């Protein structure tokens, strides 16, 4: 007669297997932060993703892109189009005026994940002595039929500049309430090589998807910074197809295929890889799984007082 007490060891064994077996192939890398998927070349945990993108993303309550000038909230990542959209919470917009600051990237960020060509920086309330209004005036342009003067007319936050009230930089010496301070639409290279102090403009905002804003006023523009990234060709697709996660050695930064929390391969996790690490990876997982299962069965047999020769 099968008793309830006899079933307890079996239940314990099943519970043990359910806990231990998934751990054998558990990925060491987090793949989401909130609703946003985090895939190669990015990584949240050290050793995950591509080494070139190491430490660029961090996840607290939200996903942030980390630069020398601060943390920028990630709004979306499009892995097909290879772009990432971030928002600067300290940036001025149509509805709020913020103290100016610089948008800075590291040299490697500028090279592998720069702002896209359809991201435009609007420099506002500039001095008449600003270099972009004199020697470098060719750096200023209009986009999709828009001029940055529209920001002064349409946005409550920027009307302060037009009226001559609020923060000034000495440009309105006439006292006229009809004064329109200079402004400039420009690309990332301008703010990359010249700080806001050198540009002599008190505020900036940035607009993205500018090629799709023809006929739309500033209140309907998309504010933010779109970054374009390239995916390094390190055989990641082969690794992913074998059930692994693309990563790297945290000391040497050599690319790895992460098979589990304790097993790595240089290319893939399945048996038959043409590297020693790849050949050892899958058998090692099976070896551990065998002993876990055998140990669990021995416990079960002992508890049932069965004897076999």
């Amino acid at each position: 007669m099968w008793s309830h007490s006899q079933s307890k060891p079996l239940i314990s064994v099943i519970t043990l297997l359910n806990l231990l077996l998934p751990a054998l192939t558990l990925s060491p890398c987090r793949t989401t932060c909130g609703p946003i998927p985090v895939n190669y070349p990015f990584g949240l945990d050290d050793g995950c993703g591509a080494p070139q993108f190491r430490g660029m993303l961090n996840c607290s309550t939200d996903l942030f892109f980390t630069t020398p000038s601060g943390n920028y909230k990630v709004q979306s990542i499009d892995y097909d189009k290879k772009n990432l959209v971030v928002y600067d919470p300290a940036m001025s917009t149509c509805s709020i005026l913020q103290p100016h600051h610089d948008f800075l990237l590291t040299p490697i960020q500028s090279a592998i994940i720069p702002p896209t060509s359809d991201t435009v920086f609007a420099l506002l309330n500039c001095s008449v002595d600003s270099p972009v209004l004199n020697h470098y005036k060719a750096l200023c342009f209009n986009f999709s039929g828009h001029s940055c003067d529209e920001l002064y007319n349409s946005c409550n936050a920027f009307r302060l500049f037009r009226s001559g009230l609020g923060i000034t930089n000495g440009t309105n010496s006439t006292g006229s309430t009809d004064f329109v301070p200079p402004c400039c639409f420009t690309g990332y290279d301008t703010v990359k090589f010249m700080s806001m102090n050198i540009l002599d403009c008190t505020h900036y905002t940035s607009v993205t998807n500018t090629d799709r804003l023809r006929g739309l006023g500033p209140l309907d523009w998309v504010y933010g910074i779109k970054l374009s990234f390239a995916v390094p060709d390190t055989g990641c697709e082969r690794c992913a197809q074998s059930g692994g996660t693309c990563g790297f050695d945290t000391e040497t930064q050599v690319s790895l295929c992460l098979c589990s929390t304790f097993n790595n391969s240089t290319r893939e996790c399945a048996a038959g890889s043409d590297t020693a690490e790849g050949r050892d990876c899958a058998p090692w997982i099976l070896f551990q799984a065998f002993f876990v299962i055998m140990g669990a069965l021995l416990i079960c047999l002992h508890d049932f007082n069965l004897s076999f020769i």
Side-chain angles (χ1 to χ4, degrees), residues 72-140:
Y72 298 82
K73 185 176 179 180
V74 177
Q75 295 182 312
S76 64
I77 304 177
D78 190 323
Y79 292 96
D80 293 328
K81 296 181 179 178
K82 296 181 176 56
N83 62 56
L84 177 150
V85 178
V86 301
Y87 181 78
D88 181 2
M91 179 181 69
S92 296
T93 65
C94 261
S95 57
I96 187 171
L97 198 63
Q98 305 262 39
H100 84 74
H101 68 287
D102 295 310
F103 175 70
L104 302 175
L105 297 176
T106 65
I108 191 169
Q109 287 175 331
S110 293
I112 67 174
I113 186 167
T116 58
S117 59
D118 65 347
T119 294
V120 170
F121 290 80
L123 308 176
L124 303 168
N125 198 34
C126 299
S127 164
V128 293
D129 297 321
S130 171
V132 293
L133 300 174
N134 294 279
H135 187 66
Y136 297 106
K137 61 184 179 181
L139 296 175
C140 298

Side-chain angles (χ1 to χ4, degrees), residues 6-254:
Q6 288 174 312
S7 68
K8 286 184 177 179
L10 183 59
I11 294 174
S12 299
V13 171
I14 294 173
T15 302
L16 180 64
L17 291 174
N18 286 336
L19 290 174
L20 292 179
L21 289 179
L24 295 174
T25 56
L26 182 65
S27 170
C29 302
R30 289 175 288 171
T31 56
T32 61
C33 180
I36 300 178
V38 179
N39 301 326
Y40 189 83
F42 303 108
L44 295 175
D45 305 290
D46 199 20
C48 299
Q52 300 93 320
F53 292 84
R54 186 179 193 176
M56 289 192 190
L57 297 184
N58 69 78
C59 180
S60 52
T61 53
D62 295 300
L63 185 62
F64 289 91
F65 178 67
T66 301
T67 78
S69 56
N71 293 324
Y72 298 82
K73 185 176 179 180
V74 177
Q75 295 182 312
S76 64
I77 304 177
D78 190 323
Y79 292 96
D80 293 328
K81 296 181 179 178
K82 296 181 176 56
N83 62 56
L84 177 150
V85 178
V86 301
Y87 181 78
D88 181 2
M91 179 181 69
S92 296
T93 65
C94 261
S95 57
I96 187 171
L97 198 63
Q98 305 262 39
H100 84 74
H101 68 287
D102 295 310
F103 175 70
L104 302 175
L105 297 176
T106 65
I108 191 169
Q109 287 175 331
S110 293
I112 67 174
I113 186 167
T116 58
S117 59
D118 65 347
T119 294
V120 170
F121 290 80
L123 308 176
L124 303 168
N125 198 34
C126 299
S127 164
V128 293
D129 297 321
S130 171
V132 293
L133 300 174
N134 294 279
H135 187 66
Y136 297 106
K137 61 184 179 181
L139 296 175
C140 298
F141 53 80
N142 295 334
F143 71 88
S144 298
H146 297 292
S147 69
C148 61
D149 290 344
E150 293 178 55
L151 291 168
Y152 294 140
N153 295 326
S154 303
C155 300
N156 289 332
F158 303 143
R159 284 189 183 131
L160 292 173
F161 301 140
R162 186 179 180 87
S163 65
L165 301 175
I167 300 173
T168 63
N169 58 6
T171 56
N172 187 3
S173 59
T174 64
S176 169
T177 58
D178 229 7
F179 176 77
V180 179
C183 57
C184 171
F185 279 145
T186 191
Y188 165 66
D189 282 346
T190 302
V191 298
K192 173 183 176 181
F193 293 109
M194 290 186 279
S195 68
M196 291 295 291
N197 286 334
I198 293 175
L199 290 166
D200 208 1
C201 303
T202 63
H203 293 74
Y204 94 91
T205 190
S206 60
V207 184
T208 189
N209 297 334
T210 53
D211 54 345
R212 290 182 280 173
L213 299 181
R214 183 173 295 276
L216 298 177
L219 293 174
D220 297 316
W221 292 355
V222 181
Y223 294 89
I225 302 171
K226 186 194 295 184
L227 308 168
S228 175
F229 60 87
V231 179
D233 184 11
T234 58
C236 183
E237 185 176 350
R238 177 177 176 181
C239 170
Q241 289 175 349
S242 72
T245 301
C246 299
F248 59 92
D249 186 291
T250 55
E251 294 184 2
T252 65
Q253 296 198 9
V254 171

